[in-house]
Amino acid sequence: MLYAVMIYFGCCFIFPKIRPEKIAIVALAICFFIEISQLYQPEWLTTIRKTKLGHYALGEGFLWSDLLAYAIGIATAGFLDLFLLRKAASSI
């Protein structure tokens, strides 16, 4: 979940003018792509995944439960962004 929240707010930082709904779709697509890419195990990619940074960025193995965790994390981040952060910023 925290990985998905990080991806969501990273997308918010890169694309500050895009609506939260579209950012949520982009962030979910990124998370799902990275998770599904774990099914592809060429030697060079496995070598990258064995490094600390590669492990954190690309993961190691595909889990269906991760897809659900990403969806929950992005929904939570989107809710916080839409109803708390952006409303607080607009009231300033």
Side-chain angles (χ1 to χ4, degrees), residues 2-66:
L2 291 175
Y3 184 82
V5 171
M6 178 190 71
I7 295 294
Y8 178 87
F9 285 113
C11 289
C12 287
F13 179 76
I14 294 169
F15 308 110
K17 305 251 187 234
I18 295 179
R19 295 194 39 80
E21 299 87 0
K22 290 184 181 180
I23 289 181
I25 291 168
V26 169
L28 193 61
I30 291 168
C31 289
F32 277 26
F33 175 78
I34 290 171
E35 187 67 26
I36 291 169
S37 76
Q38 293 171 12
L39 294 170
Y40 181 60
Q41 297 285 332
E43 187 177 329
W44 65 272
L45 197 51
T46 303
T47 303
I48 293 172
R49 286 184 176 132
K50 286 184 180 180
T51 66
K52 191 170 285 255
L53 181 60
H55 174 73
Y56 290 139
L58 302 173
E60 281 196 42
F62 177 83
L63 292 172
W64 285 103
S65 59
D66 285 350

